[in-house]
């Protein structure tokens, strides 16, 4: 923070300068990783805020709708946001790049029985479906699919997805860095 009495602004300035220095060293040093997962600071902030406020939203919406956390996935060499949606249950879907569809009751039969599995698909593939069955929005940052039983179209969407055959490529949140900081660090280290 520097010298003098504590101040919020001084603390934050010192924190940012320390982060910039650490990032500059790690992003440009000889041991710098080839692949660094980055997203814009605004996206990281939006994900953090959603996850922070998720339990309160769940309490407001009640137990008849699921409010998923937003996670990070490594797909196609880059980080993408994702939300889990299980068996087409009523859900409050935040805006994400991907949907992780967990299928248990809606899993396909294999060897005469259902075997739970996971599918990963771009959120845009569910866009028409979500728009069709979402409750009217009051400007909220999510779309709420609310029904007593999943409509046939929603069940069919789940059943039509291909099973994900690899481990789910999750990325811990602390490994996703602000793109702007990384760009600055690389420019300063060049």
């Amino acid at each position: 923070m520097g010298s003098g009495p504590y101040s919020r602004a001084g603390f934050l300035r010192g924190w940012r300068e320390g982060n910039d220095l650490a990032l500059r060293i790690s992003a440009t040093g000889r041991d710098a990783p080839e692949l660094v997962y980055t997203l814009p600071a605004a996206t990281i902030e939006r994900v953090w805020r959603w996850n922070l406020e998720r339990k309160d939203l769940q309490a407001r919406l009640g137990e008849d709708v699921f409010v998923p956390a937003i996670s990070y996935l490594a797909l196609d060499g880059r980080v993408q946001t994702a939300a889990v949606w299980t068996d087409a249950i009523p859900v409050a879907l935040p805006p994400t790049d991907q949907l992780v569809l967990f299928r248990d009751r809606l899993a396909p039969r294999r060897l005469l029985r259902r075997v739970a599995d996971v599918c990963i698909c771009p959120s845009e593939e569910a866009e028409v479906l979500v728009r069709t069955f979402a409750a009217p929005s009051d400007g909220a940052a999510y779309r709420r699919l609310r029904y007593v039983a999943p409509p046939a179209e929603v069940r069919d969407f789940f059943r039509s997805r291909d099973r994900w055959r690899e481990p789910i490529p999750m990325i811990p949140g602390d490994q996703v860095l602000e793109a702007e900081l990384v760009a600055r660090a690389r420019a300063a280290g060049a």
Side-chain angles (χ1 to χ4, degrees):
M1 185 177 107
S3 60
Y6 171 83
S7 73
R8 182 176 191 270
F11 174 79
L12 291 174
R13 185 176 50 256
W15 180 271
R16 284 189 193 106
E17 288 173 7
N19 280 345
D20 283 349
L21 177 61
L23 192 54
R24 207 168 32 251
I25 291 167
S26 66
T28 60
R30 60 186 163 114
D31 295 328
E34 285 185 38
L35 180 62
V36 176
Y37 292 114
T38 65
L39 284 173
T43 301
I44 293 171
E45 170 82 15
R46 179 181 58 79
V47 168
W48 176 81
R49 191 160 303 286
W50 172 268
N51 290 339
L52 178 69
E53 296 170 355
R54 183 175 76 87
K55 288 181 182 177
D56 291 339
L57 178 60
Q58 181 72 69
R60 281 196 317 274
L61 296 179
E63 295 301 317
D64 64 336
V65 63
F66 175 62
V67 180
I70 299 176
S71 302
Y72 297 113
L73 301 178
L75 295 172
D76 302 324
R78 64 187 181 93
V79 64
Q80 297 186 39
T81 58
V84 172
W85 186 9
T86 301
D87 272 338
I89 63 173
V91 66
L93 283 174
T96 59
D97 302 312
Q98 301 288 327
L99 291 173
V100 177
L101 306 175
F102 179 77
R103 302 185 299 190
D104 187 13
R105 292 186 326 267
L106 296 177
R109 291 190 178 276
R110 284 185 243 148
L111 301 174
L112 303 176
R113 63 185 181 95
R114 293 197 190 284
V115 176
D117 64 11
V118 172
C119 311
I120 298 176
C121 71
S123 293
E124 64 195 26
E125 289 182 11
E127 180 58 30
V128 171
L129 189 73
V130 170
R131 194 172 40 237
T132 300
F133 294 103
S137 172
D138 59 355
Y142 61 89
R143 294 198 282 172
R144 182 177 178 185
L145 279 74
R146 185 176 177 187
Y147 34 71
V148 175
E153 296 95 321
V154 179
R155 291 190 317 267
D156 292 345
F157 175 78
F158 266 73
R159 289 179 175 139
S160 71
R161 305 289 99 190
D162 291 330
R163 176 173 57 110
W164 187 262
R165 298 179 184 276
E166 303 168 24
I168 298 175
M170 301 291 291
I171 303 172
D174 64 350
Q175 291 183 18
V176 180
L177 305 177
E178 293 180 9
E180 300 86 347
L181 283 176
V182 171
R184 251 192 345 261
R186 287 183 172 158

